[in-house]
């Protein structure tokens, strides 16, 4: 009676190909994660707001006046997007309420 035992050895060419794929696939991933880490200096405080949206974001009438956050210097940057917390709220409400987070960075005073 013959017993089947699969071979677990990998040829050298397959090992080289696997290492090459790992390097080629890992480099863009790490570059994307760590390359986008540059942000604004910590000296400019961020004002965070949630803007409401409804029906998967199709219906929203939210307005935000950045002059309320930066009355003297004005806004240096405004970022609008989805964060993990706003995404989880959207999932928990089955898309009925879909907020977006707004981050306002003011210019530094001179």
């Amino acid at each position: 009676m013959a017993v089947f035992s699969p071979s677990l050895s990998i040829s050298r060419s397959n090992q080289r190909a696997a290492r090459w794929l790992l390097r080629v696939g890992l480099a863009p991933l790490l570059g994307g994660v760590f390359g986008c880490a540059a942000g604004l200096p910590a000296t400019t405080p961020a004002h965070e707001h949630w803007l409401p949206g409804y029906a998967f974001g199709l219906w929203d009438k939210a307005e935000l006046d950045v002059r309320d956050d930066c009355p003297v210097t004005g806004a240096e940057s405004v970022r609008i997007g989805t964060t993990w917390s706003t995404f989880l709220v959207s999932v928990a409400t089955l898309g009925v309420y879909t907020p977006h987070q707004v981050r306002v960075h003011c210019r530094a005073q001179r």
Side-chain angles (χ1 to χ4, degrees):
M1 179 167 156
V3 176
F4 176 75
S5 73
S7 173
L8 295 178
S9 64
I10 300 174
S11 69
R12 287 191 188 269
S13 62
N14 286 344
Q15 287 176 352
R16 262 187 261 127
R19 271 185 267 169
W20 182 80
L21 282 174
L22 182 64
R23 286 182 194 139
V24 169
L26 196 58
L29 178 68
L30 291 176
V33 169
F34 294 112
C36 296
L40 294 173
T43 58
T44 60
H47 301 275
E48 296 182 359
H49 306 278
W50 276 24
L51 295 181
Y54 303 96
F56 299 101
L58 297 175
W59 182 59
D60 58 357
K61 196 172 184 176
E63 294 182 6
L64 178 68
D65 191 357
V66 296
R67 293 175 291 189
D68 293 337
D69 293 328
C70 310
V72 176
T73 59
E76 182 175 333
S77 71
V78 178
R79 296 181 182 181
I80 303 171
T82 303
T83 60
W84 282 106
S85 55
T86 58
F87 175 72
L88 290 175
V89 168
S90 299
V91 169
T93 61
L94 301 175
V96 173
Y97 177 63
T98 54
H100 292 286
Q101 185 180 38
V102 178
R103 283 185 154 188
V104 179
H105 288 273
C106 298
R107 289 188 187 121
Q109 291 185 355
R110 295 178 185 208

